[in-house]
Coordinates of all heavy atoms in Angstrom, one line a residue:
M1 N 201.3 173.2 31.8 CA 200.7 173.2 30.5 C 200.1 171.7 30.3 O 200.8 170.8 30.7 CB 201.6 173.5 29.4 CG 202.1 175.0 29.5 SD 202.5 175.7 28.0 CE 203.5 174.5 27.2
D2 N 199.0 171.6 29.8 CA 198.3 170.3 29.7 C 199.1 169.4 28.7 O 199.0 168.2 28.9 CB 196.9 170.5 29.1 CG 196.0 171.0 30.2 OD1 196.4 171.0 31.4 OD2 194.9 171.5 29.9
D3 N 199.8 169.9 27.7 CA 200.5 169.1 26.7 C 202.0 168.9 27.0 O 202.7 168.5 26.1 CB 200.2 169.6 25.3 CG 200.7 171.0 25.2 OD1 201.2 171.6 26.2 OD2 200.7 171.6 24.0
E4 N 202.4 169.2 28.2 CA 203.8 169.2 28.5 C 204.2 167.8 29.0 O 203.5 167.2 29.9 CB 204.2 170.2 29.6 CG 205.6 170.4 29.8 CD 205.9 171.5 30.8 OE1 204.9 172.2 31.2 OE2 207.1 171.7 31.1
L5 N 205.3 167.2 28.5 CA 205.7 165.9 28.9 C 206.6 166.1 30.2 O 207.6 166.8 30.1 CB 206.5 165.2 27.8 CG 207.0 163.8 28.2 CD1 205.9 162.8 28.5 CD2 208.0 163.3 27.1
V6 N 206.2 165.5 31.3 CA 207.0 165.7 32.5 C 207.5 164.4 33.1 O 208.2 164.4 34.1 CB 206.2 166.5 33.6 CG1 205.8 167.9 33.1 CG2 205.0 165.7 34.0
G7 N 207.1 163.3 32.5 CA 207.6 162.0 33.0 C 207.2 160.9 32.0 O 206.4 161.1 31.2
Y8 N 207.9 159.8 32.2 CA 207.5 158.6 31.4 C 207.9 157.4 32.1 O 208.7 157.4 33.1 CB 208.2 158.7 30.0 CG 209.7 158.6 30.1 CD1 210.4 157.4 30.1 CD2 210.4 159.8 30.2 CE1 211.8 157.4 30.2 CE2 211.8 159.8 30.2 CZ 212.5 158.6 30.3 OH 213.9 158.6 30.4
A9 N 207.3 156.3 31.7 CA 207.6 155.0 32.4 C 207.3 153.9 31.4 O 206.4 154.0 30.5 CB 206.8 154.8 33.6
G10 N 208.0 152.8 31.5 CA 207.8 151.6 30.5 C 207.8 150.3 31.2 O 208.6 150.1 32.2
L11 N 207.0 149.4 30.8 CA 206.9 148.0 31.3 C 207.0 147.1 30.1 O 206.3 147.3 29.1 CB 205.6 147.8 32.0 CG 205.4 146.5 32.7 CD1 206.1 146.5 34.1 CD2 203.9 146.3 32.9
G12 N 207.8 146.0 30.2 CA 207.9 145.0 29.2 C 207.6 143.7 29.8 O 208.1 143.3 30.9
F13 N 206.8 142.9 29.1 CA 206.5 141.5 29.5 C 207.5 140.6 28.9 O 207.8 140.6 27.7 CB 205.1 141.1 29.1 CG 204.0 141.7 30.0 CD1 203.4 142.9 29.7 CD2 203.6 141.1 31.1 CE1 202.5 143.5 30.5 CE2 202.7 141.6 32.0 CZ 202.1 142.8 31.7
T14 N 208.1 139.7 29.8 CA 209.0 138.7 29.3 C 208.4 137.3 29.3 O 209.0 136.4 28.8 CB 210.3 138.7 30.2 OG1 209.9 138.6 31.6 CG2 211.1 140.0 30.1
A15 N 207.3 137.1 29.9 CA 206.5 135.9 29.9 C 205.0 136.2 30.1 O 204.7 137.1 30.8 CB 207.0 134.9 30.9
G16 N 204.2 135.4 29.5 CA 202.7 135.6 29.6 C 202.2 134.6 30.7 O 202.9 133.8 31.3
P17 N 200.8 134.7 30.9 CA 200.2 133.8 31.8 C 200.4 132.4 31.4 O 200.5 132.1 30.2 CB 198.7 134.3 31.7 CG 198.7 135.6 31.1 CD 199.9 135.7 30.2
P18 N 200.3 131.4 32.3 CA 199.9 131.6 33.7 C 201.0 132.0 34.7 O 200.7 132.2 35.8 CB 199.4 130.2 34.1 CG 200.3 129.3 33.3 CD 200.5 130.0 32.0
Q19 N 202.2 132.1 34.2 CA 203.3 132.6 35.1 C 203.9 133.8 34.5 O 205.1 133.8 34.1 CB 204.3 131.5 35.4 CG 203.8 130.3 36.2 CD 204.8 129.2 36.5 OE1 205.4 128.7 35.6 NE2 205.0 129.0 37.8
A20 N 203.1 134.8 34.4 CA 203.6 136.1 33.7 C 204.7 136.7 34.5 O 204.7 136.7 35.7 CB 202.4 137.0 33.6
E21 N 205.6 137.3 33.7 CA 206.7 138.1 34.3 C 206.9 139.4 33.5 O 206.7 139.4 32.2 CB 208.1 137.3 34.2 CG 208.1 136.2 35.2 CD 209.5 135.6 35.3 OE1 210.4 136.1 34.7 OE2 209.6 134.6 36.0
A22 N 207.2 140.4 34.2 CA 207.4 141.7 33.5 C 208.6 142.4 34.1 O 209.0 142.1 35.3 CB 206.1 142.6 33.7
E23 N 209.1 143.4 33.4 CA 210.2 144.2 33.9 C 209.9 145.7 33.7 O 209.4 146.1 32.7 CB 211.5 144.0 33.0 CG 212.1 142.6 33.1 CD 213.3 142.4 32.2 OE1 213.5 143.3 31.4 OE2 213.9 141.4 32.4
V24 N 210.1 146.4 34.8 CA 210.1 147.9 34.7 C 211.3 148.4 33.9 O 212.4 148.1 34.4 CB 210.0 148.6 36.1 CG1 210.1 150.1 35.9 CG2 208.7 148.1 36.8
H25 N 211.1 149.0 32.8 CA 212.3 149.3 32.0 C 212.9 150.7 32.4 O 214.1 150.8 32.5 CB 211.9 149.4 30.5 CG 211.8 148.0 29.9 ND1 211.3 147.8 28.7 CD2 212.2 146.8 30.4 CE1 211.3 146.5 28.4 NE2 211.9 145.9 29.4
T26 N 212.1 151.6 32.7 CA 212.6 152.9 33.2 C 211.4 153.7 33.7 O 210.3 153.6 33.2 CB 213.3 153.6 32.0 OG1 214.0 154.7 32.6 CG2 212.4 154.1 31.0
I27 N 211.7 154.6 34.6 CA 210.8 155.6 35.1 C 211.6 156.9 35.2 O 212.7 156.9 35.9 CB 210.2 155.3 36.4 CG1 209.3 154.0 36.3 CG2 209.3 156.4 36.9 CD1 208.5 153.7 37.6
G28 N 211.1 158.0 34.7 CA 211.8 159.2 34.8 C 210.9 160.4 34.9 O 209.9 160.4 34.2
V29 N 211.1 161.3 35.8 CA 210.3 162.5 36.0 C 211.2 163.7 35.9 O 212.3 163.7 36.5 CB 209.6 162.4 37.4 CG1 208.8 163.7 37.6 CG2 208.7 161.2 37.5
D30 N 210.8 164.6 35.1 CA 211.5 165.9 35.0 C 211.9 166.4 36.4 O 211.0 166.5 37.2 CB 210.6 166.9 34.2 CG 211.2 168.2 34.0 OD1 212.1 168.7 34.7 OD2 210.9 168.8 32.9
P31 N 213.2 166.8 36.6 CA 213.6 167.2 37.9 C 212.7 168.4 38.5 O 212.4 168.4 39.7 CB 215.0 167.7 37.7 CG 215.5 166.9 36.6 CD 214.3 166.7 35.7
A32 N 212.2 169.2 37.6 CA 211.3 170.3 38.1 C 210.0 169.8 38.6 O 209.3 170.6 39.3 CB 211.1 171.3 36.9
Y33 N 209.6 168.6 38.3 CA 208.3 168.1 38.8 C 208.5 166.9 39.7 O 207.5 166.2 40.1 CB 207.5 167.6 37.5 CG 207.1 168.8 36.7 CD1 207.9 169.3 35.7 CD2 205.8 169.3 36.9 CE1 207.5 170.3 34.9 CE2 205.4 170.4 36.1 CZ 206.2 170.9 35.1 OH 205.8 172.0 34.4
Q34 N 209.7 166.6 40.2 CA 209.9 165.5 41.1 C 209.4 165.9 42.5 O 209.2 167.0 42.9 CB 211.4 165.1 41.2 CG 211.9 164.5 39.9 CD 213.4 164.1 40.0 OE1 214.0 164.3 41.0 NE2 213.9 163.7 38.8
G35 N 209.0 164.8 43.3 CA 208.5 165.0 44.6 C 207.1 165.5 44.7 O 206.6 165.9 45.7
K36 N 206.4 165.3 43.6 CA 204.9 165.7 43.6 C 204.0 164.5 43.4 O 202.8 164.7 43.1 CB 204.7 166.7 42.4 CG 205.5 168.0 42.5 CD 205.3 168.9 41.3 CE 206.2 170.1 41.3 NZ 205.9 171.0 42.4
G37 N 204.5 163.3 43.5 CA 203.7 162.1 43.3 C 203.6 161.6 41.9 O 202.8 160.6 41.7
I38 N 204.3 162.2 41.0 CA 204.2 161.7 39.6 C 204.8 160.4 39.4 O 204.3 159.5 38.7 CB 204.8 162.8 38.6 CG1 204.0 164.1 38.7 CG2 204.8 162.2 37.2 CD1 204.6 165.2 37.9
G39 N 206.0 160.2 40.0 CA 206.7 158.9 39.9 C 205.8 157.8 40.5 O 205.7 156.7 39.9
K40 N 205.2 158.0 41.6 CA 204.3 157.1 42.2 C 203.1 156.7 41.3 O 202.8 155.5 41.2 CB 203.8 157.6 43.6 CG 203.2 156.6 44.5 CD 202.7 157.3 45.8 CE 203.7 158.0 46.6 NZ 203.2 158.5 47.9
A41 N 202.6 157.7 40.7 CA 201.4 157.5 39.8 C 201.8 156.7 38.6 O 201.1 155.8 38.1 CB 200.8 158.8 39.4
L42 N 203.0 157.0 38.0 CA 203.5 156.3 36.8 C 203.7 154.8 37.2 O 203.3 153.9 36.5 CB 204.8 156.9 36.3 CG 204.7 158.3 35.6 CD1 206.1 158.8 35.4 CD2 203.9 158.1 34.3
L43 N 204.4 154.6 38.3 CA 204.6 153.2 38.7 C 203.3 152.5 39.0 O 203.2 151.3 38.6 CB 205.5 153.2 40.0 CG 205.9 151.8 40.5 CD1 206.7 151.0 39.4 CD2 206.8 151.9 41.7
A44 N 202.4 153.1 39.6 CA 201.1 152.5 39.9 C 200.4 152.1 38.6 O 199.8 151.0 38.6 CB 200.2 153.5 40.7
A45 N 200.5 152.9 37.6 CA 199.9 152.5 36.3 C 200.5 151.3 35.7 O 199.8 150.4 35.2 CB 200.0 153.7 35.4
L46 N 201.9 151.2 35.8 CA 202.5 150.0 35.3 C 202.1 148.8 36.1 O 201.9 147.7 35.5 CB 204.1 150.2 35.4 CG 204.8 151.3 34.7 CD1 206.3 151.2 34.8 CD2 204.4 151.3 33.2
L47 N 202.0 148.9 37.4 CA 201.7 147.8 38.2 C 200.3 147.3 38.1 O 200.0 146.2 38.2 CB 202.1 148.1 39.7 CG 203.6 148.3 39.9 CD1 203.8 148.7 41.4 CD2 204.4 147.1 39.6
D48 N 199.4 148.3 37.8 CA 198.0 147.9 37.5 C 198.0 147.0 36.2 O 197.2 146.0 36.2 CB 197.1 149.2 37.2 CG 196.7 149.9 38.4 OD1 196.9 149.3 39.5 OD2 196.2 151.0 38.3
T49 N 198.8 147.3 35.2 CA 198.9 146.5 34.0 C 199.4 145.1 34.4 O 198.9 144.1 33.9 CB 199.7 147.2 33.0 OG1 199.2 148.4 32.6 CG2 199.8 146.3 31.7
A50 N 200.5 145.1 35.1 CA 201.1 143.8 35.5 C 200.1 143.0 36.4 O 200.0 141.7 36.2 CB 202.4 144.1 36.3
D51 N 199.4 143.6 37.2 CA 198.5 142.9 38.1 C 197.3 142.3 37.4 O 196.7 141.3 37.9 CB 198.0 143.8 39.2 CG 199.1 144.2 40.2 OD1 200.1 143.5 40.2 OD2 198.9 145.1 41.0
E52 N 197.0 142.8 36.2 CA 195.9 142.3 35.4 C 196.1 140.8 35.1 O 195.2 140.0 34.9 CB 195.7 143.1 34.1 CG 195.0 144.4 34.4 CD 194.9 145.2 33.1 OE1 195.1 144.7 32.0 OE2 194.6 146.4 33.2
V53 N 197.4 140.4 34.9 CA 197.8 139.0 34.6 C 198.6 138.4 35.7 O 199.3 137.4 35.5 CB 198.5 138.9 33.3 CG1 197.6 139.3 32.1 CG2 199.7 139.8 33.2
H54 N 198.5 139.0 36.9 CA 199.2 138.5 38.1 C 200.7 138.3 37.8 O 201.2 137.2 38.1 CB 198.5 137.3 38.6 CG 197.0 137.4 38.8 ND1 196.5 138.3 39.7 CD2 196.0 137.0 38.1 CE1 195.2 138.3 39.6 NE2 194.8 137.5 38.6
A55 N 201.3 139.2 37.2 CA 202.7 139.1 36.8 C 203.7 139.3 38.0 O 203.4 140.2 38.8 CB 203.1 140.0 35.7
T56 N 204.8 138.5 38.0 CA 205.9 138.9 38.9 C 206.7 140.0 38.2 O 206.9 139.9 36.9 CB 206.8 137.7 39.0 OG1 206.1 136.6 39.6 CG2 208.0 138.0 40.0
V57 N 207.0 141.0 38.9 CA 207.7 142.2 38.3 C 209.1 142.4 38.8 O 209.3 142.3 40.0 CB 206.9 143.5 38.5 CG1 207.5 144.6 37.7 CG2 205.4 143.3 38.1
F58 N 210.0 142.5 37.9 CA 211.4 142.7 38.2 C 211.9 144.1 37.8 O 211.3 144.7 36.8 CB 212.3 141.7 37.5 CG 212.1 140.3 38.0 CD1 211.2 139.5 37.4 CD2 212.8 139.8 39.1 CE1 211.0 138.2 37.9 CE2 212.6 138.5 39.6 CZ 211.7 137.7 38.9
L59 N 213.0 144.6 38.4 CA 213.6 145.8 37.9 C 215.1 145.9 38.4 O 215.4 145.2 39.3 CB 212.9 147.1 38.3 CG 212.7 147.3 39.8 CD1 213.9 148.0 40.4 CD2 211.4 148.2 40.0
E60 N 215.9 146.7 37.7 CA 217.2 147.0 38.2 C 217.3 148.5 38.6 O 216.7 149.3 37.9 CB 218.3 146.7 37.2 CG 218.9 145.3 37.3 CD 218.0 144.2 36.7 OE1 217.3 144.5 35.7 OE2 218.0 143.1 37.3
V61 N 218.0 148.8 39.6 CA 218.1 150.2 40.1 C 219.5 150.3 40.7 O 220.0 149.4 41.3 CB 217.0 150.5 41.1 CG1 217.1 149.6 42.3 CG2 217.1 152.0 41.5
R62 N 220.1 151.5 40.4 CA 221.5 151.8 40.9 C 221.4 151.7 42.5 O 220.5 152.2 43.1 CB 221.9 153.2 40.5 CG 222.6 153.2 39.2 CD 223.0 154.7 38.8 NE 224.0 155.2 39.7 CZ 225.2 155.7 39.3 NH1 225.4 155.8 38.0 NH2 226.1 156.1 40.1
T63 N 222.5 151.1 43.0 CA 222.5 150.9 44.5 C 222.5 152.2 45.2 O 222.1 152.3 46.4 CB 223.7 150.1 44.9 OG1 224.9 150.7 44.4 CG2 223.5 148.6 44.3
D64 N 222.9 153.3 44.6 CA 222.9 154.6 45.3 C 221.7 155.5 45.0 O 221.7 156.7 45.3 CB 224.2 155.4 44.9 CG 224.4 155.6 43.4 OD1 223.5 155.2 42.6 OD2 225.4 156.3 43.0
N65 N 220.7 155.0 44.3 CA 219.5 155.8 43.9 C 218.4 155.7 45.0 O 217.4 155.0 44.8 CB 219.0 155.3 42.5 CG 218.0 156.2 41.9 OD1 217.5 157.1 42.6 ND2 217.8 156.1 40.6
E66 N 218.7 156.4 46.0 CA 217.7 156.3 47.2 C 216.3 156.7 46.9 O 215.4 156.0 47.3 CB 218.3 157.1 48.4 CG 219.5 156.5 49.0 CD 220.1 157.3 50.1 OE1 219.3 158.1 50.7 OE2 221.3 157.1 50.4
P67 N 216.1 157.8 46.1 CA 214.7 158.1 45.8 C 213.9 157.0 45.1 O 212.8 156.6 45.4 CB 214.8 159.4 44.9 CG 216.1 160.0 45.3 CD 217.0 158.8 45.6
A68 N 214.6 156.4 44.1 CA 214.0 155.3 43.3 C 213.8 154.1 44.2 O 212.7 153.4 44.1 CB 214.8 155.0 42.1
I69 N 214.8 153.7 45.0 CA 214.6 152.5 45.8 C 213.5 152.7 46.8 O 212.7 151.8 47.0 CB 216.0 152.3 46.6 CG1 217.0 151.8 45.6 CG2 215.8 151.2 47.6 CD1 218.4 151.8 46.1
G70 N 213.3 154.0 47.4 CA 212.2 154.2 48.3 C 210.9 154.1 47.6 O 209.9 153.5 48.1
L71 N 210.8 154.6 46.3 CA 209.6 154.5 45.5 C 209.2 153.0 45.3 O 208.1 152.6 45.5 CB 209.8 155.2 44.2 CG 208.8 155.0 43.1 CD1 207.5 155.7 43.5 CD2 209.3 155.6 41.8
Y72 N 210.2 152.2 45.0 CA 209.9 150.8 44.6 C 209.6 150.0 45.9 O 208.7 149.2 45.9 CB 211.2 150.2 44.0 CG 211.5 150.8 42.6 CD1 212.8 151.1 42.3 CD2 210.5 151.2 41.7 CE1 213.1 151.7 41.1 CE2 210.8 151.8 40.5 CZ 212.1 152.0 40.2 OH 212.4 152.6 39.0
E73 N 210.3 150.3 47.0 CA 209.9 149.6 48.2 C 208.5 149.8 48.7 O 207.8 148.9 49.1 CB 210.9 149.9 49.3 CG 212.3 149.3 49.1 CD 213.3 149.6 50.2 OE1 213.1 150.7 50.9 OE2 214.3 148.9 50.3
K74 N 208.1 151.1 48.6 CA 206.7 151.4 49.0 C 205.7 150.7 48.1 O 204.5 150.5 48.5 CB 206.5 152.9 48.9 CG 207.0 153.6 50.1 CD 206.7 155.1 50.2 CE 207.3 155.7 51.5 NZ 207.5 157.1 51.4
A75 N 206.1 150.4 46.9 CA 205.2 149.7 45.9 C 205.2 148.2 46.1 O 204.6 147.5 45.3 CB 205.5 150.1 44.5
G76 N 206.0 147.7 47.0 CA 206.0 146.3 47.3 C 207.2 145.5 46.7 O 207.2 144.3 46.8
F77 N 208.2 146.2 46.2 CA 209.4 145.5 45.7 C 210.4 145.3 46.8 O 210.5 146.1 47.8 CB 210.1 146.4 44.7 CG 209.4 146.5 43.3 CD1 208.4 147.4 43.1 CD2 209.8 145.6 42.3 CE1 207.8 147.4 41.9 CE2 209.2 145.6 41.1 CZ 208.2 146.6 40.8
A78 N 211.1 144.1 46.7 CA 212.1 143.8 47.7 C 213.4 143.5 46.9 O 213.3 143.0 45.8 CB 211.7 142.6 48.5
T79 N 214.5 143.8 47.5 CA 215.8 143.5 46.9 C 216.1 142.0 46.9 O 216.0 141.4 48.0 CB 216.9 144.3 47.6 OG1 216.6 145.7 47.5 CG2 218.3 144.1 46.9
V80 N 216.4 141.5 45.8 CA 216.7 140.0 45.7 C 218.1 139.7 45.1 O 218.4 138.5 45.1 CB 215.6 139.3 44.9 CG1 214.2 139.3 45.6 CG2 215.5 139.8 43.4
G81 N 218.8 140.7 44.7 CA 220.1 140.4 44.1 C 220.9 141.7 43.9 O 220.4 142.8 44.0
L82 N 222.2 141.5 43.7 CA 223.1 142.6 43.4 C 223.9 142.3 42.1 O 224.5 141.2 42.0 CB 224.1 142.7 44.6 CG 225.3 143.7 44.4 CD1 224.8 145.1 44.3 CD2 226.3 143.6 45.5
R83 N 223.9 143.2 41.2 CA 224.6 143.0 39.9 C 225.8 144.0 39.9 O 225.6 145.2 39.8 CB 223.7 143.3 38.7 CG 222.6 142.2 38.5 CD 221.7 142.6 37.4 NE 220.7 141.6 37.2 CZ 220.6 140.7 36.2 NH1 221.6 140.7 35.3 NH2 219.6 139.9 36.1
K84 N 227.0 143.4 40.1 CA 228.2 144.3 40.1 C 228.4 144.9 38.7 O 228.3 144.2 37.7 CB 229.4 143.5 40.6 CG 229.2 142.8 42.0 CD 229.2 143.9 43.1 CE 230.6 144.3 43.4 NZ 230.6 145.3 44.5
R85 N 228.8 146.1 38.7 CA 229.2 146.8 37.4 C 228.2 146.6 36.3 O 228.5 146.3 35.2 CB 230.6 146.3 37.0 CG 231.7 146.6 38.0 CD 233.0 146.1 37.6 NE 233.0 144.6 37.6 CZ 233.1 143.8 38.7 NH1 233.2 144.4 39.9 NH2 233.1 142.5 38.6
Y86 N 226.9 146.8 36.7 CA 225.8 146.5 35.8 C 225.7 147.6 34.7 O 225.4 147.3 33.6 CB 224.5 146.4 36.6 CG 223.3 146.2 35.8 CD1 223.0 145.0 35.3 CD2 222.4 147.3 35.6 CE1 221.8 144.7 34.5 CE2 221.2 147.1 34.8 CZ 221.0 145.8 34.3 OH 219.8 145.6 33.6
Y87 N 225.9 148.9 35.1 CA 225.6 150.0 34.2 C 226.9 150.4 33.4 O 228.0 150.3 33.9 CB 225.1 151.2 34.9 CG 223.7 151.0 35.5 CD1 223.6 150.7 36.9 CD2 222.6 151.1 34.7 CE1 222.3 150.5 37.4 CE2 221.4 150.8 35.3 CZ 221.2 150.6 36.6 OH 220.0 150.3 37.2
R88 N 226.7 150.7 32.1 CA 227.8 151.2 31.3 C 227.5 152.6 30.9 O 226.3 152.9 30.6 CB 228.0 150.3 30.0 CG 228.3 148.9 30.3 CD 229.7 148.7 30.8 NE 230.0 147.3 30.9 CZ 229.7 146.5 31.9 NH1 229.0 146.9 32.9 NH2 230.1 145.2 31.9
P89 N 228.5 153.6 30.8 CA 229.9 153.3 31.1 C 230.3 153.5 32.5 O 231.4 153.4 32.9 CB 230.6 154.4 30.2 CG 229.6 155.5 30.2 CD 228.2 154.9 30.3
S90 N 229.3 153.8 33.4 CA 229.7 154.2 34.8 C 230.2 153.0 35.6 O 230.9 153.2 36.6 CB 228.5 154.8 35.5 OG 227.5 153.8 35.7
M91 N 229.8 151.8 35.2 CA 230.2 150.6 35.9 C 229.6 150.6 37.3 O 230.0 149.9 38.2 CB 231.7 150.4 36.0 CG 232.4 150.5 34.7 SD 231.9 149.2 33.6 CE 233.0 147.9 34.1
A92 N 228.5 151.3 37.5 CA 227.8 151.4 38.8 C 227.1 150.0 39.1 O 226.7 149.4 38.1 CB 226.8 152.5 38.9
D93 N 227.0 149.7 40.3 CA 226.3 148.5 40.7 C 224.8 148.7 40.7 O 224.3 149.8 40.9 CB 226.7 148.0 42.2 CG 228.2 147.7 42.3 OD1 228.8 147.5 41.2 OD2 228.7 147.7 43.4
A94 N 224.1 147.6 40.5 CA 222.6 147.6 40.5 C 222.1 146.6 41.5 O 222.6 145.5 41.6 CB 222.0 147.4 39.1
Y95 N 221.0 146.9 42.1 CA 220.2 145.9 42.8 C 219.1 145.4 41.8 O 218.6 146.2 41.0 CB 219.4 146.5 44.0 CG 220.2 146.9 45.2 CD1 220.1 148.2 45.7 CD2 221.1 146.0 45.8 CE1 220.8 148.6 46.8 CE2 221.8 146.4 46.9 CZ 221.7 147.7 47.4 OH 222.4 148.1 48.5
T96 N 218.9 144.1 41.9 CA 217.7 143.5 41.3 C 216.6 143.5 42.3 O 216.8 143.1 43.4 CB 217.9 142.1 40.8 OG1 219.0 142.1 39.8 CG2 216.7 141.5 40.2
M97 N 215.4 144.1 42.0 CA 214.3 144.1 42.9 C 213.1 143.3 42.3 O 213.0 143.3 41.0 CB 213.9 145.5 43.2 CG 215.0 146.3 43.9 SD 214.5 148.0 44.4 CE 213.6 147.6 46.0
K98 N 212.3 142.7 43.1 CA 211.2 141.9 42.7 C 209.9 142.2 43.5 O 210.0 142.4 44.7 CB 211.6 140.4 42.9 CG 210.6 139.4 42.6 CD 211.0 138.0 43.1 CE 210.0 136.9 42.9 NZ 210.3 135.7 43.5
R99 N 208.8 142.2 42.8 CA 207.5 142.3 43.4 C 206.7 141.1 43.1 O 206.5 140.7 41.9 CB 206.8 143.6 42.9 CG 205.4 143.8 43.5 CD 204.9 145.1 42.9 NE 203.6 145.5 43.3 CZ 202.5 145.2 42.6 NH1 202.5 144.4 41.5 NH2 201.3 145.6 43.0
D100 N 206.2 140.4 44.1 CA 205.5 139.1 43.9 C 204.2 139.4 43.2 O 203.6 140.5 43.3 CB 205.3 138.4 45.2 CG 206.6 137.8 45.7 OD1 207.5 137.4 44.9 OD2 206.8 137.8 46.9
P101 N 203.6 138.4 42.6 CA 202.3 138.5 41.9 C 201.2 139.0 42.8 O 201.2 138.5 44.0 CB 202.0 137.2 41.3 CG 203.3 136.4 41.4 CD 204.1 137.0 42.4
R102 N 200.3 139.8 42.3 CA 199.1 140.2 43.1 C 197.9 139.8 42.3 O 197.8 139.7 41.1 CB 199.1 141.7 43.2 CG 200.4 142.3 43.8 CD 200.2 142.6 45.3 NE 201.5 142.9 45.9 CZ 201.9 144.1 46.4 NH1 201.1 145.1 46.3 NH2 203.1 144.2 47.0
Ligands
COA1 C1 212.8 158.1 41.0 C2 211.8 159.1 40.5 C3 211.1 158.6 39.2 C4 210.7 159.4 41.5 O1 209.7 160.3 40.9 P1 209.0 161.4 41.8 O2 207.8 161.9 41.0 O3 210.0 162.4 42.3 O4 208.5 160.5 43.0 P2 207.2 160.8 43.9 O5 207.0 162.2 44.2 O6 206.0 160.1 43.3 O7 207.6 160.0 45.3 C5 207.3 158.6 45.4 C6 208.2 158.1 46.5 O8 209.6 158.1 46.0 C7 210.5 158.3 47.1 N1 211.2 159.5 46.9 C8 211.0 160.5 45.9 N2 211.9 161.4 46.0 C9 212.7 161.1 47.0 C10 213.9 161.7 47.6 N3 214.4 162.8 47.1 N4 214.6 161.0 48.6 C11 214.1 159.8 49.0 N5 213.0 159.2 48.6 C12 212.3 159.9 47.6 C13 209.6 158.3 48.3 O9 209.5 157.0 48.8 C14 208.3 158.8 47.8 O10 207.2 158.5 48.6 P3 206.6 159.5 49.6 O11 206.3 160.8 48.8 O12 205.4 158.8 50.2 O13 207.7 159.8 50.6 C15 212.5 160.5 40.2 O14 213.3 160.8 41.3 C16 213.4 160.4 38.9 O15 213.0 160.6 37.8 N6 214.7 160.2 39.2 C17 215.7 160.2 38.0 C18 215.5 159.0 37.1 C19 215.6 157.7 37.9 O16 216.5 157.5 38.8 N7 214.7 156.7 37.6 C20 214.7 155.4 38.2 C21 215.7 154.5 37.5 S1 215.6 152.8 38.1

């Protein structure tokens, strides 16, 4: 259906030009619609916005979230840190990932 919400994504800027920085806040796709390129398209839209001001982009992702890590690596993110017990209440660990300015 044209008016059905099947995914969402958010980007927040933490600094403006000339050394702009942004964070991917979340990306989620309805499980019934995963694996169809929607997550890739949502992330690409966020990164287009970041690239307009040549922002460095950061995000956190659970260390066991292989689909998300794969999505982010293909978009140019690299793991730059590990945050132990980052998530509450699960206390799961997170990787910090970074994509250099484009
Ligand atoms: C992560 C998520 C947003 C991906 O959305 P999606 O629409 O299914 O992803 P796409 O179909 O666009 O796939 C993009 C890439 O993600 C990776 N990917 C997606 N599903 C995967 C899976 N089951 N296993 C491994 N990699 C996977 C692949 O690298 C894929 O690229 P490819 O198709 O060229 O192989 C989706 O799985 C999701 O909503 N997960 C739950 C919420 C979540 O974990 N969000 C991230 C929080 S940091």
